[in-house]
mmCIF file of all heavy atoms in Angstrom:
data_model
loop_
_atom_site.group_PDB
_atom_site.id
_atom_site.type_symbol
_atom_site.label_atom_id
_atom_site.label_comp_id
_atom_site.label_asym_id
_atom_site.label_seq_id
_atom_site.Cartn_x
_atom_site.Cartn_y
_atom_site.Cartn_z
ATOM 1 N N PRO A 49 106.554 21.297 25.181
ATOM 2 C CA PRO A 49 106.376 20.023 25.886
ATOM 3 C C PRO A 49 105.327 20.125 26.992
ATOM 4 O O PRO A 49 105.028 21.210 27.497
ATOM 5 C CB PRO A 49 107.764 19.759 26.474
ATOM 6 C CG PRO A 49 108.360 21.122 26.646
ATOM 7 C CD PRO A 49 107.844 21.939 25.482
ATOM 8 N N HIS A 50 104.785 18.983 27.366
ATOM 9 C CA HIS A 50 103.835 18.952 28.462
ATOM 10 C C HIS A 50 104.563 19.194 29.780
ATOM 11 O O HIS A 50 105.694 18.758 29.963
ATOM 12 C CB HIS A 50 103.135 17.593 28.530
ATOM 13 C CG HIS A 50 102.214 17.331 27.386
ATOM 14 N ND1 HIS A 50 101.081 18.070 27.165
ATOM 15 C CD2 HIS A 50 102.250 16.405 26.398
ATOM 16 C CE1 HIS A 50 100.452 17.605 26.096
ATOM 17 N NE2 HIS A 50 101.145 16.609 25.601
ATOM 18 N N SER A 51 103.868 19.850 30.705
ATOM 19 C CA SER A 51 104.404 20.018 32.050
ATOM 20 C C SER A 51 104.203 18.731 32.838
ATOM 21 O O SER A 51 103.457 17.834 32.413
ATOM 22 C CB SER A 51 103.694 21.175 32.756
ATOM 23 O OG SER A 51 102.325 20.862 32.951
ATOM 24 N N VAL A 52 104.845 18.631 33.994
ATOM 25 C CA VAL A 52 104.684 17.438 34.832
ATOM 26 C C VAL A 52 103.227 17.238 35.248
ATOM 27 O O VAL A 52 102.701 16.117 35.136
ATOM 28 C CB VAL A 52 105.606 17.512 36.065
ATOM 29 C CG1 VAL A 52 105.289 16.374 37.042
ATOM 30 C CG2 VAL A 52 107.068 17.447 35.640
ATOM 31 N N PRO A 53 102.511 18.288 35.715
ATOM 32 C CA PRO A 53 101.092 18.078 36.060
ATOM 33 C C PRO A 53 100.261 17.619 34.865
ATOM 34 O O PRO A 53 99.359 16.784 35.011
ATOM 35 C CB PRO A 53 100.642 19.466 36.546
ATOM 36 C CG PRO A 53 101.888 20.116 37.039
ATOM 37 C CD PRO A 53 102.957 19.637 36.108
ATOM 38 N N GLU A 54 100.563 18.129 33.661
ATOM 39 C CA GLU A 54 99.835 17.699 32.464
ATOM 40 C C GLU A 54 100.109 16.224 32.169
ATOM 41 O O GLU A 54 99.190 15.477 31.813
ATOM 42 C CB GLU A 54 100.240 18.558 31.270
ATOM 43 C CG GLU A 54 99.703 19.982 31.331
ATOM 44 C CD GLU A 54 100.279 20.878 30.246
ATOM 45 O OE1 GLU A 54 101.367 20.552 29.709
ATOM 46 O OE2 GLU A 54 99.650 21.911 29.949
ATOM 47 N N ASP A 55 101.378 15.806 32.329
ATOM 48 C CA ASP A 55 101.710 14.394 32.110
ATOM 49 C C ASP A 55 100.989 13.498 33.112
ATOM 50 O O ASP A 55 100.446 12.453 32.744
ATOM 51 C CB ASP A 55 103.224 14.182 32.233
ATOM 52 C CG ASP A 55 103.971 14.552 30.965
ATOM 53 O OD1 ASP A 55 103.329 14.638 29.895
ATOM 54 O OD2 ASP A 55 105.197 14.743 31.034
ATOM 55 N N VAL A 56 100.983 13.919 34.371
ATOM 56 C CA VAL A 56 100.338 13.115 35.413
ATOM 57 C C VAL A 56 98.848 12.965 35.122
ATOM 58 O O VAL A 56 98.300 11.855 35.151
ATOM 59 C CB VAL A 56 100.554 13.744 36.803
ATOM 60 C CG1 VAL A 56 99.681 13.054 37.852
ATOM 61 C CG2 VAL A 56 102.027 13.662 37.201
ATOM 62 N N PHE A 57 98.188 14.094 34.822
ATOM 63 C CA PHE A 57 96.749 14.034 34.576
ATOM 64 C C PHE A 57 96.451 13.261 33.289
ATOM 65 O O PHE A 57 95.478 12.496 33.223
ATOM 66 C CB PHE A 57 96.160 15.436 34.487
ATOM 67 C CG PHE A 57 94.659 15.449 34.412
ATOM 68 C CD1 PHE A 57 93.896 15.170 35.532
ATOM 69 C CD2 PHE A 57 94.012 15.719 33.215
ATOM 70 C CE1 PHE A 57 92.504 15.167 35.465
ATOM 71 C CE2 PHE A 57 92.628 15.703 33.133
ATOM 72 C CZ PHE A 57 91.875 15.434 34.262
ATOM 73 N N GLY A 58 97.295 13.451 32.262
ATOM 74 C CA GLY A 58 97.091 12.740 31.002
ATOM 75 C C GLY A 58 97.214 11.235 31.164
ATOM 76 O O GLY A 58 96.409 10.473 30.631
ATOM 77 N N VAL A 59 98.227 10.789 31.903
ATOM 78 C CA VAL A 59 98.426 9.354 32.124
ATOM 79 C C VAL A 59 97.305 8.784 32.991
ATOM 80 O O VAL A 59 96.805 7.682 32.726
ATOM 81 C CB VAL A 59 99.808 9.090 32.761
ATOM 82 C CG1 VAL A 59 99.913 7.652 33.261
ATOM 83 C CG2 VAL A 59 100.914 9.377 31.742
ATOM 84 N N LEU A 60 96.891 9.527 34.021
ATOM 85 C CA LEU A 60 95.781 9.067 34.860
ATOM 86 C C LEU A 60 94.495 8.922 34.040
ATOM 87 O O LEU A 60 93.764 7.928 34.170
ATOM 88 C CB LEU A 60 95.549 10.037 36.023
ATOM 89 C CG LEU A 60 96.529 9.940 37.192
ATOM 90 C CD1 LEU A 60 96.296 11.082 38.168
ATOM 91 C CD2 LEU A 60 96.398 8.594 37.900
ATOM 92 N N THR A 61 94.240 9.907 33.186
ATOM 93 C CA THR A 61 93.046 9.855 32.340
ATOM 94 C C THR A 61 93.109 8.673 31.379
ATOM 95 O O THR A 61 92.153 7.908 31.231
ATOM 96 C CB THR A 61 92.893 11.159 31.544
ATOM 97 O OG1 THR A 61 92.790 12.265 32.450
ATOM 98 C CG2 THR A 61 91.644 11.125 30.660
ATOM 99 N N GLY A 62 94.250 8.523 30.718
ATOM 100 C CA GLY A 62 94.406 7.441 29.754
ATOM 101 C C GLY A 62 94.285 6.066 30.384
ATOM 102 O O GLY A 62 93.619 5.180 29.841
ATOM 103 N N THR A 63 94.920 5.863 31.533
ATOM 104 C CA THR A 63 94.871 4.551 32.164
ATOM 105 C C THR A 63 93.483 4.256 32.731
ATOM 106 O O THR A 63 93.040 3.102 32.717
ATOM 107 C CB THR A 63 95.928 4.433 33.282
ATOM 108 O OG1 THR A 63 95.796 5.533 34.202
ATOM 109 C CG2 THR A 63 97.330 4.451 32.685
ATOM 110 N N PHE A 64 92.797 5.278 33.204
ATOM 111 C CA PHE A 64 91.428 5.074 33.698
ATOM 112 C C PHE A 64 90.514 4.631 32.556
ATOM 113 O O PHE A 64 89.730 3.682 32.695
ATOM 114 C CB PHE A 64 90.894 6.355 34.326
ATOM 115 C CG PHE A 64 89.461 6.236 34.800
ATOM 116 C CD1 PHE A 64 89.169 5.664 36.025
ATOM 117 C CD2 PHE A 64 88.413 6.675 34.010
ATOM 118 C CE1 PHE A 64 87.861 5.534 36.460
ATOM 119 C CE2 PHE A 64 87.098 6.552 34.425
ATOM 120 C CZ PHE A 64 86.820 5.979 35.659
ATOM 121 N N LEU A 65 90.619 5.308 31.408
ATOM 122 C CA LEU A 65 89.796 4.940 30.252
ATOM 123 C C LEU A 65 90.162 3.541 29.745
ATOM 124 O O LEU A 65 89.284 2.776 29.342
ATOM 125 C CB LEU A 65 89.977 5.965 29.131
ATOM 126 C CG LEU A 65 89.410 7.368 29.399
ATOM 127 C CD1 LEU A 65 89.758 8.299 28.244
ATOM 128 C CD2 LEU A 65 87.903 7.305 29.590
ATOM 129 N N ALA A 66 91.448 3.207 29.764
ATOM 130 C CA ALA A 66 91.878 1.881 29.316
ATOM 131 C C ALA A 66 91.285 0.796 30.206
ATOM 132 O O ALA A 66 90.786 -0.229 29.714
ATOM 133 C CB ALA A 66 93.403 1.794 29.326
ATOM 134 N N ALA A 67 91.349 1.009 31.507
ATOM 135 C CA ALA A 67 90.811 0.017 32.437
ATOM 136 C C ALA A 67 89.312 -0.153 32.253
ATOM 137 O O ALA A 67 88.792 -1.271 32.305
ATOM 138 C CB ALA A 67 91.126 0.435 33.875
ATOM 139 N N LEU A 68 88.606 0.958 32.014
ATOM 140 C CA LEU A 68 87.164 0.879 31.803
ATOM 141 C C LEU A 68 86.849 0.125 30.512
ATOM 142 O O LEU A 68 85.948 -0.719 30.463
ATOM 143 C CB LEU A 68 86.564 2.284 31.761
ATOM 144 C CG LEU A 68 85.034 2.371 31.622
ATOM 145 C CD1 LEU A 68 84.351 1.618 32.757
ATOM 146 C CD2 LEU A 68 84.601 3.835 31.600
ATOM 147 N N GLY A 69 87.611 0.414 29.457
ATOM 148 C CA GLY A 69 87.411 -0.276 28.188
ATOM 149 C C GLY A 69 87.682 -1.770 28.307
ATOM 150 O O GLY A 69 86.914 -2.599 27.797
ATOM 151 N N LEU A 70 88.754 -2.136 28.992
ATOM 152 C CA LEU A 70 89.087 -3.548 29.166
ATOM 153 C C LEU A 70 88.057 -4.256 30.033
ATOM 154 O O LEU A 70 87.727 -5.429 29.802
ATOM 155 C CB LEU A 70 90.485 -3.675 29.788
ATOM 156 C CG LEU A 70 91.642 -3.319 28.843
ATOM 157 C CD1 LEU A 70 92.934 -3.157 29.621
ATOM 158 C CD2 LEU A 70 91.792 -4.378 27.762
ATOM 159 N N TYR A 71 87.528 -3.560 31.027
ATOM 160 C CA TYR A 71 86.491 -4.130 31.884
ATOM 161 C C TYR A 71 85.234 -4.434 31.068
ATOM 162 O O TYR A 71 84.602 -5.484 31.228
ATOM 163 C CB TYR A 71 86.185 -3.166 33.020
ATOM 164 C CG TYR A 71 85.139 -3.646 33.995
ATOM 165 C CD1 TYR A 71 85.249 -4.880 34.629
ATOM 166 C CD2 TYR A 71 84.029 -2.862 34.286
ATOM 167 C CE1 TYR A 71 84.291 -5.319 35.531
ATOM 168 C CE2 TYR A 71 83.069 -3.289 35.189
ATOM 169 C CZ TYR A 71 83.207 -4.512 35.809
ATOM 170 O OH TYR A 71 82.257 -4.946 36.699
ATOM 171 N N MET A 72 84.882 -3.512 30.154
ATOM 172 C CA MET A 72 83.722 -3.746 29.292
ATOM 173 C C MET A 72 83.957 -4.951 28.379
ATOM 174 O O MET A 72 83.055 -5.765 28.163
ATOM 175 C CB MET A 72 83.411 -2.495 28.466
ATOM 176 C CG MET A 72 82.949 -1.314 29.295
ATOM 177 S SD MET A 72 82.516 0.119 28.292
ATOM 178 C CE MET A 72 80.965 -0.440 27.567
ATOM 179 N N LEU A 73 85.154 -5.077 27.850
ATOM 180 C CA LEU A 73 85.466 -6.219 26.993
ATOM 181 C C LEU A 73 85.387 -7.532 27.766
ATOM 182 O O LEU A 73 84.877 -8.537 27.263
ATOM 183 C CB LEU A 73 86.856 -6.059 26.382
ATOM 184 C CG LEU A 73 87.025 -4.971 25.329
ATOM 185 C CD1 LEU A 73 88.477 -4.892 24.870
ATOM 186 C CD2 LEU A 73 86.119 -5.212 24.139
ATOM 187 N N GLU A 74 85.888 -7.504 28.998
ATOM 188 C CA GLU A 74 85.839 -8.715 29.812
ATOM 189 C C GLU A 74 84.392 -9.117 30.106
ATOM 190 O O GLU A 74 84.033 -10.287 30.030
ATOM 191 C CB GLU A 74 86.600 -8.492 31.124
ATOM 192 C CG GLU A 74 86.702 -9.736 31.980
ATOM 193 C CD GLU A 74 87.518 -9.518 33.239
ATOM 194 O OE1 GLU A 74 87.896 -8.353 33.518
ATOM 195 O OE2 GLU A 74 87.762 -10.497 33.955
ATOM 196 N N GLN A 75 83.556 -8.107 30.413
ATOM 197 C CA GLN A 75 82.153 -8.393 30.702
ATOM 198 C C GLN A 75 81.408 -8.889 29.464
ATOM 199 O O GLN A 75 80.452 -9.652 29.561
ATOM 200 C CB GLN A 75 81.459 -7.132 31.254
ATOM 201 C CG GLN A 75 82.013 -6.650 32.582
ATOM 202 C CD GLN A 75 81.991 -7.722 33.648
ATOM 203 O OE1 GLN A 75 80.949 -8.277 33.965
ATOM 204 N NE2 GLN A 75 83.156 -8.033 34.209
ATOM 205 N N ALA A 76 81.874 -8.451 28.284
ATOM 206 C CA ALA A 76 81.262 -8.889 27.031
ATOM 207 C C ALA A 76 81.820 -10.229 26.552
ATOM 208 O O ALA A 76 81.450 -10.716 25.485
ATOM 209 C CB ALA A 76 81.471 -7.828 25.951
ATOM 210 N N GLU A 77 82.749 -10.805 27.341
ATOM 211 C CA GLU A 77 83.407 -12.067 26.988
ATOM 212 C C GLU A 77 84.062 -11.983 25.624
ATOM 213 O O GLU A 77 83.975 -12.900 24.794
ATOM 214 C CB GLU A 77 82.409 -13.235 27.056
ATOM 215 C CG GLU A 77 81.835 -13.463 28.444
ATOM 216 C CD GLU A 77 80.926 -14.668 28.500
ATOM 217 O OE1 GLU A 77 80.566 -15.210 27.429
ATOM 218 O OE2 GLU A 77 80.572 -15.085 29.615
ATOM 219 N N ALA A 78 84.726 -10.863 25.403
ATOM 220 C CA ALA A 78 85.419 -10.626 24.140
ATOM 221 C C ALA A 78 86.920 -10.596 24.394
ATOM 222 O O ALA A 78 87.385 -10.719 25.530
ATOM 223 C CB ALA A 78 84.957 -9.311 23.525
ATOM 224 N N VAL A 79 87.676 -10.417 23.334
ATOM 225 C CA VAL A 79 89.121 -10.287 23.450
ATOM 226 C C VAL A 79 89.545 -9.054 22.668
ATOM 227 O O VAL A 79 88.757 -8.457 21.937
ATOM 228 C CB VAL A 79 89.866 -11.528 22.917
ATOM 229 C CG1 VAL A 79 89.577 -12.731 23.774
ATOM 230 C CG2 VAL A 79 89.499 -11.793 21.462
ATOM 231 N N THR A 80 90.786 -8.691 22.849
ATOM 232 C CA THR A 80 91.368 -7.617 22.056
ATOM 233 C C THR A 80 92.803 -8.011 21.760
ATOM 234 O O THR A 80 93.232 -9.116 22.112
ATOM 235 C CB THR A 80 91.280 -6.270 22.799
ATOM 236 O OG1 THR A 80 91.692 -5.210 21.910
ATOM 237 C CG2 THR A 80 92.150 -6.241 24.048
ATOM 238 N N GLY A 81 93.551 -7.138 21.130
ATOM 239 C CA GLY A 81 94.915 -7.471 20.777
ATOM 240 C C GLY A 81 95.901 -7.117 21.873
ATOM 241 O O GLY A 81 95.529 -6.702 22.965
ATOM 242 N N GLY A 82 97.172 -7.270 21.560
ATOM 243 C CA GLY A 82 98.228 -6.874 22.477
ATOM 244 C C GLY A 82 98.298 -7.715 23.733
ATOM 245 O O GLY A 82 97.665 -8.770 23.856
#
Side-chain angles (χ1 to χ4, degrees):
H50 292 295
S51 65
V52 172
E54 288 172 338
D55 279 342
V56 170
F57 187 74
V59 168
L60 283 172
T61 301
T63 53
F64 177 82
L65 292 176
L68 183 57
L70 288 167
Y71 181 54
M72 294 183 73
L73 290 177
E74 185 177 7
Q75 296 305 303
E77 298 184 349
V79 294
T80 188

